[in-house]
């Protein structure tokens, strides 16, 4: 039947806000204001601590970081050299790039940082321009404004800057003077029924957005249309896609000068590594007389794929009853797979050399700690930002490389950055056990407790679990 609460979709309407206020008042009346509890204030103190690790991304010669704390509620975008970043946190001399709190105050807007999209013209040119996404009040809508990294300022209107008001837009650079953009120009049919871009336009600098040519569009019943041009380890790729549903997408790529639709199941996730496609399977796929299992990761050269030669596909990962692919990270020559084996992290390494994939083995020496990886510059080197954390170990950041990580020369070395211990962990231990379900499936779980705890059934226990939208904890 009809949803009686559909009227709550108007999240900014006064009647909806009144409903929220009434529900909040009822909860506060029954349970009290959490702000008055010592636990709440201790957690807030930790969350607002300036001892956080300032995670960075490398652009040109600088390490960029977006930082928030009690003094910078909406945040500041800042940068420093790698040499400077290596110093103890209190000694790092950060250079301010953009202050979101100050910008909002100056313009009378409640701006919230939603990220940036860089202009990438290949390895021969420095990355100087970007599109900054600012959301009014933190909504899904974003305003797009072109920014210059060298001058640390927005590009002036006099220079024909790219600028779009708040809308559910999606944009990226095709070249320095051309944007691929999906947004609402006021014309009927610009947006899908879901409220996201339906049409992709090529917008040339200095021309009216409303006159930009429509180069691709999806169905109104789709979620959104998208398009991009990007550089990947020496190869330029042009792609267009229809996000049909949350889990299904139709992909198009340029091959030999013409747009070609990828003949793959719509629930496959597609990416590239240099001159190869990478396919992550959400369901079994039978093709070329071969059955590839749900959860597998395949790689195939783009030219072989479009020639229909699926025999050239390489299975980089195939799941088992106790293994699943959690993530993948590519450097210039290596692909590192983050695999969950009985919910413990295992890293698998592949090297792509002269058009051939070679398995280099795996590393699982992190025990019950987890690791997340980020390439420093996948078009230039094999370096990695490595973040390791555990239930009783403060999060630590390392600057390493794929070969060093394979050799296990990370966790035992001195971290580049590390959080302080916010609680005493000396008398705590982490153990893994398996619960057997009624059908015989063994479900792994972790237990964090005092050392030597008597397992007699009398201990108060907090249970936590989550699994949804392809995210597992």
């Amino acid at each position: 039947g009809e949803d009686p609460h559909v009227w709550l979709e108007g999240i900014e309407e006064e009647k909806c806000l009144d409903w929220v206020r009434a529900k909040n008042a009822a909860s506060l009346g029954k349970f009290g204001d959490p702000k008055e509890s010592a636990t709440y204030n201790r957690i807030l103190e930790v969350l607002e601590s300036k001892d956080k690790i300032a995670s960075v991304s490398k652009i040109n010669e600088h390490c960029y970081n977006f930082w928030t704390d009690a003094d910078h509620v909406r945040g500041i975008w800042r940068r420093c050299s790698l040499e400077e970043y290596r110093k103890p946190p209190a000694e790092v001399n950060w250079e301010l790039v953009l202050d979101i709190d100050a910008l909002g105050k100056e313009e009378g807007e409640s701006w919230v940082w939603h990220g940036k999209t860089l202009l990438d013209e290949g390895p021969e040119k420095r990355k100087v321009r970007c599109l900054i996404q600012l959301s009014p009040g933190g909504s899904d809508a974003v305003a797009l404004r072109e920014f210059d990294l060298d001058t640390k300022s927005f590009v002036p209107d006099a220079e024909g800057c790219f600028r779009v008001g708040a809308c559910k837009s999606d944009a990226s650079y095709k070249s320095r003077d051309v944007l691929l953009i999906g947004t609402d120009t006021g014309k009927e049919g610009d947006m899908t029924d879901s409220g996201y871009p339906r049409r992709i336009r090529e917008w040339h600098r200095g021309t009216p957005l409303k006159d930009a040519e429509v180069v691709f569009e999806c169905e109104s019943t789709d979620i959104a249309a998208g398009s991009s041009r990007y550089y990947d380890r020496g190869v330029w790729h042009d792609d267009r896609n229809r996000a049909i549903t949350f889990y299904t997408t139709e992909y198009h790529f340029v091959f030999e000068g013409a747009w070609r639709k990828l003949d793959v199941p719509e629930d496959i996730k597609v990416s590239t590594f240099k001159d190869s496609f990478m396919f992550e399977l959400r369901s079994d796929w039978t093709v070329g007389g071969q059955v590839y299992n749900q959860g597998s990761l395949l790689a195939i050269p783009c030219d072989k794929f479009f020639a229909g030669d699926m025999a050239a596909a390489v299975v980089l990962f195939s799941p088992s009853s106790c293994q699943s692919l959690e993530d993948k990270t590519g450097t210039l020559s290596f692909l590192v797979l983050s695999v969950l084996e009985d919910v413990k992290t295992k890293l698998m390494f592949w090297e792509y050399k002269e058009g051939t994939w070679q398995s280099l083995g795996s590393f699982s020496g992190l025990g019950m700690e987890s690791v997340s990886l980020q390439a420093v510059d996948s078009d230039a080197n094999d370096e990695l930002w490595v973040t390791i954390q555990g239930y009783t170990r403060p999060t630590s950041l390392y600057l390493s490389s794929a070969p060093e990580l394979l050799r296990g020369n990370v966790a035992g070395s001195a971290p580049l950055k590390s959080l302080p211990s916010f609680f005493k962990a000396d008398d705590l231990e982490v153990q893994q056990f398996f619960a057997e379900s009624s059908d015989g499936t063994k479900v792994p779980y972790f237990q964090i407790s005092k050392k030597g705890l008597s397992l007699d059934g009398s201990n108060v226990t907090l249970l936590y679990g989550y699994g949804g939208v392809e995210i597992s904890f």
Side-chain angles (χ1 to χ4, degrees), residues 349-377:
F349 295 80
W350 289 84
E351 183 177 14
Y352 191 62
K353 190 174 183 180
E354 298 177 355
T356 302
W357 288 99
Q358 179 183 359
S359 175
L360 301 179
S362 62
F363 172 70
S364 54
L366 294 169
M368 286 175 278
E369 295 181 332
S370 63
V371 59
S372 59
L373 308 173
Q374 178 187 340
V376 175
D377 187 346

Side-chain angles (χ1 to χ4, degrees), residues 66-69 72-77 98-102 113:
F66 189 78
W67 180 263
T68 60
D69 58 27
H72 306 94
V73 178
R74 293 301 169 91
I76 52 175
W77 197 26
L98 180 64
D99 186 328
I100 304 301
D101 293 274
W113 171 270

Side-chain angles (χ1 to χ4, degrees), residues 210-451:
K210 63 181 179 62
D211 295 338
E213 179 187 3
V214 175
V215 294
F216 181 67
E217 65 181 61
C218 67
E219 301 295 328
S220 60
T221 53
D222 293 342
I223 292 179
S227 183
S228 65
R229 174 175 170 79
Y230 62 95
Y231 183 81
D232 183 358
R233 303 167 179 86
V235 179
W236 284 100
H237 292 284
D238 295 89
D239 84 290
R240 294 171 179 169
N241 61 79
R242 289 175 52 212
I244 302 170
T245 68
F246 191 75
Y247 292 111
T248 57
T249 303
E250 178 184 283
Y251 296 92
H252 303 253
F253 277 79
V254 169
F255 180 69
E256 295 183 342
W259 285 100
R260 301 278 296 273
K261 177 185 173 182
L262 269 60
D263 186 15
V264 297
E266 291 176 347
D267 64 350
I268 275 182
K269 291 190 285 186
V270 178
S271 58
T272 59
F273 190 106
K274 197 176 174 66
D275 57 0
S276 291
F277 285 125
M278 307 196 76
F279 299 141
E280 293 181 65
L281 277 57
R282 287 192 174 106
S283 59
D284 291 350
W285 183 24
T286 301
V287 61
Q290 178 84 22
V291 178
Y292 299 101
N293 295 330
Q294 175 187 3
S296 296
L297 174 66
L298 313 181
I300 183 171
C302 298
D303 58 349
K304 298 290 186 182
F305 174 79
F306 284 119
D309 183 12
M310 283 302 297
V314 177
V315 179
L316 300 180
F317 177 79
S318 184
S320 68
S321 60
C322 64
Q323 284 191 351
S324 62
L325 181 62
E326 182 76 358
D327 200 4
K328 66 182 191 298
T329 305
T331 65
L332 179 63
S333 305
F334 295 85
L335 183 70
V336 186
L337 307 182
S338 298
V339 174
L340 291 183
E341 185 172 54
D342 287 330
V343 205
K344 291 190 292 188
T345 299
K346 176 181 180 180
L347 301 177
M348 302 176 68
F349 295 80
W350 289 84
E351 183 177 14
Y352 191 62
K353 190 174 183 180
E354 298 177 355
T356 302
W357 288 99
Q358 179 183 359
S359 175
L360 301 179
S362 62
F363 172 70
S364 54
L366 294 169
M368 286 175 278
E369 295 181 332
S370 63
V371 59
S372 59
L373 308 173
Q374 178 187 340
V376 175
D377 187 346
S378 61
D379 292 322
N381 56 55
D382 294 312
E383 292 183 334
L384 288 163
W385 300 110
V386 181
T387 304
I388 299 176
Q389 60 183 338
Y391 292 108
T392 59
R393 168 182 172 153
T395 303
S396 299
L397 174 69
Y398 302 81
L399 177 57
S400 185
S401 67
E404 284 295 302
L405 194 57
L406 174 60
R407 289 191 286 268
N409 297 337
V410 176
S413 62
L416 186 65
K417 305 286 181 183
S418 183
L419 287 181
S421 295
F422 288 109
F423 61 91
K424 187 176 181 295
D426 296 346
D427 60 345
L428 299 178
E429 64 178 348
V430 182
Q431 298 172 279
Q432 186 179 46
F433 299 98
F434 292 82
E436 188 168 328
S437 65
S438 58
D439 64 0
T441 301
K442 291 187 176 181
V443 181
Y445 68 93
F446 297 104
Q447 176 180 291
I448 304 96
S449 66
K450 294 282 189 179
K451 292 178 180 178

